[in-house]
Amino acid sequence: MVVDHRDLNFDMDIFATDPLAGSGLPLWLPAGSVIREELQKLAKELAAGDGCLGVFSPVLGKRALYERSGHLSKFSRDMFPAMQMGDDELMLRPANCPHHALIYASTQRSYRELPLRFNELAAMFRAERSGVVSGLSRVRQINLDDTHVFCRPDQVLHEAELGLRAALRAQEILGLPVDYVRLSTRDNSSTWLGTDAQWEHAQENLRAAGQSVLDEHGLKLVEAPGEAAFYGPKFDLQVKDGRDREETIATVQLDFNQPQRFGLTYVGADGREHRPVMIHRGTVGSMERVTAALLERYAGRLPFWLSPIHITVLPVSPDQDGAARTLADKARQRGLRGRVDHNGSLAARVRNARKTRDHLIAAIGPTEIAQNSVQITDIASGIRTQVAQERLLELMDDAYRNRRTVLDWVL
């Protein structure tokens, strides 16, 4: 039975909504903030491992910026209205790539410094209709793990492979099985920007990169004519939820349109100016959509490293309050997330920890204090055992640092 992430939210308090904030603008509560911060940390580590450079850019831009990028002519119905500021019209950005193109253009570039990979976990905005927004899966502010690569044409194949591998690695760590990878190409209509030669070359590069990487993972590459972005072909990593609905979780997109529109160049070995190719990389994906997918995939009982609460410590009686606090403090000193619950009966506290999907439930009574141990219930593993406190902390630390789904209960 599939549990909707909105229903899980009643128990777990991941996000809240409020009419004063507006539809499609969820408020991340402390438990949700933990999940999001862990996802952001993963995204940054994967980006750094591929040599990406961190940047920051504003969520607003002049109307002229989006006219230049082509977003206004293609997506005006999905953009929020312009705000008049003196002589300027400012708009919330529908995508992060125009600002990253400006960062690239901020100085002259040489062929020797390419590829450049600019990474930013950034907000972008879509004017979704009120009847369409839903929980975390369809929102008006999207917080996206976004990288834009600027490279030479001879580097496109390698960069496409690198981006696809990073996206597949992210889903592997998250435990979100990829059903297949879609190669989204153009069809014969006239809605695409760029020349026939550009499209053919770009599609062939992606096709070659896809076959090379997916053969290693045993995944299918399925072509989808007409599903490309308006500026170039792309890879879409497709996953299915428990209701057999298909979602795109991460993308790698080629773009020869933005470099041309923004006049981006680099100086080649011949001393002349050449046009770079831009590649859009979404590795982990949007924080909202990925969190919704994870909650539903695990029915709220998230992998240990992602759990909002790693361990809830329950003193059997007030006499064990001090020992319980000491254990929770030791966990926090290791960067783990622990709390003490001493409100209500022991049975009620166990029920509450199960309801909020705390990963480990630890009970401390007189026997545990005497033996410097703890009685552990690990619901995800089906483990119920007594373990020395120091050993427990070591197991938790290992599971968190190595992003394990469950603890390695080799006692």
Side-chain angles (χ1 to χ4, degrees), residues 203-309:
Q203 289 174 176
E204 195 52 49
N205 267 304
L206 281 191
R207 195 173 287 115
Q211 291 297 345
S212 172
V213 174
L214 297 184
D215 285 348
E216 302 168 8
H217 290 78
L219 288 170
K220 298 178 295 183
L221 182 66
V222 178
E223 295 205 20
E227 295 296 323
F230 72 95
Y231 46 71
K234 59 178 179 167
F235 288 131
D236 295 314
L237 275 65
Q238 299 301 108
V239 300
K240 287 186 178 179
D241 64 17
R243 289 173 290 275
D244 210 36
R245 296 180 310 191
E246 193 173 295
E247 294 274 5
T248 298
I249 205 77
T251 64
V252 178
Q253 307 176 3
L254 262 61
D255 187 344
F256 31 77
N257 171 62
Q258 299 274 318
Q260 184 173 336
R261 283 177 170 262
F262 283 94
L264 304 183
T265 62
Y266 64 89
V267 178
D270 58 2
R272 297 179 180 178
E273 289 191 339
H274 299 266
R275 188 81 67 204
V277 178
M278 187 180 194
I279 299 176
H280 308 246
R281 278 179 44 166
T283 303
V284 171
S286 84
M287 299 298 101
E288 293 78 13
R289 181 174 288 183
V290 172
T291 299
L294 287 166
L295 289 171
E296 295 183 1
R297 166 79 172 85
Y298 293 102
R301 196 159 296 287
L302 296 169
F304 181 82
W305 66 278
L306 269 175
S307 295
I309 296 295

Side-chain angles (χ1 to χ4, degrees), residues 89-241:
E89 284 187 294
L90 299 179
M91 305 185 77
L92 289 168
R93 63 181 175 194
N96 307 319
C97 42
H99 285 94
H100 288 192
L102 296 181
I103 290 172
Y104 178 91
S106 64
T107 189
Q108 188 177 68
R109 308 292 181 178
S110 163
Y111 76 100
R112 297 178 66 184
E113 64 181 306
L114 300 185
L116 283 170
R117 309 176 186 99
F118 296 143
N119 174 260
E120 181 177 11
L121 207 147
M124 58 188 195
F125 302 85
R126 302 289 168 85
E128 301 279 13
R129 306 302 179 259
S130 295
V132 173
V133 294
S134 175
L136 293 176
S137 57
R138 198 74 178 264
V139 293
R140 287 174 171 162
Q141 177 178 316
I142 303 164
N143 295 281
L144 185 66
D145 159 38
D146 215 0
T147 295
H148 293 97
V149 181
F150 300 87
C151 64
R152 305 189 308 263
D154 63 288
Q155 297 170 323
V156 167
L157 181 60
H158 172 73
E159 290 301 315
E161 290 178 349
L162 196 67
L164 184 54
R165 281 197 175 90
L168 289 169
R169 176 62 179 150
Q171 308 319 309
E172 181 183 358
I173 292 170
L174 294 170
L176 293 175
V178 176
D179 189 54
Y180 68 94
V181 174
R182 184 173 65 194
L183 173 56
S184 298
T185 60
R186 71 171 184 171
D187 56 19
N188 294 323
S189 67
S190 59
T191 58
W192 315 101
L193 299 177
T195 66
D196 290 346
Q198 286 174 319
W199 276 90
E200 287 303 319
H201 184 256
Q203 289 174 176
E204 195 52 49
N205 267 304
L206 281 191
R207 195 173 287 115
Q211 291 297 345
S212 172
V213 174
L214 297 184
D215 285 348
E216 302 168 8
H217 290 78
L219 288 170
K220 298 178 295 183
L221 182 66
V222 178
E223 295 205 20
E227 295 296 323
F230 72 95
Y231 46 71
K234 59 178 179 167
F235 288 131
D236 295 314
L237 275 65
Q238 299 301 108
V239 300
K240 287 186 178 179
D241 64 17

Side-chain angles (χ1 to χ4, degrees), residues 298-336:
Y298 293 102
R301 196 159 296 287
L302 296 169
F304 181 82
W305 66 278
L306 269 175
S307 295
I309 296 295
H310 289 137
I311 186 168
T312 292
V313 188
L314 308 179
V316 173
S317 74
D319 292 339
Q320 292 87 48
D321 281 358
R325 282 194 294 271
T326 298
L327 177 58
D329 287 344
K330 286 181 178 179
R332 285 191 286 266
Q333 287 164 10
R334 289 175 176 251
L336 301 164

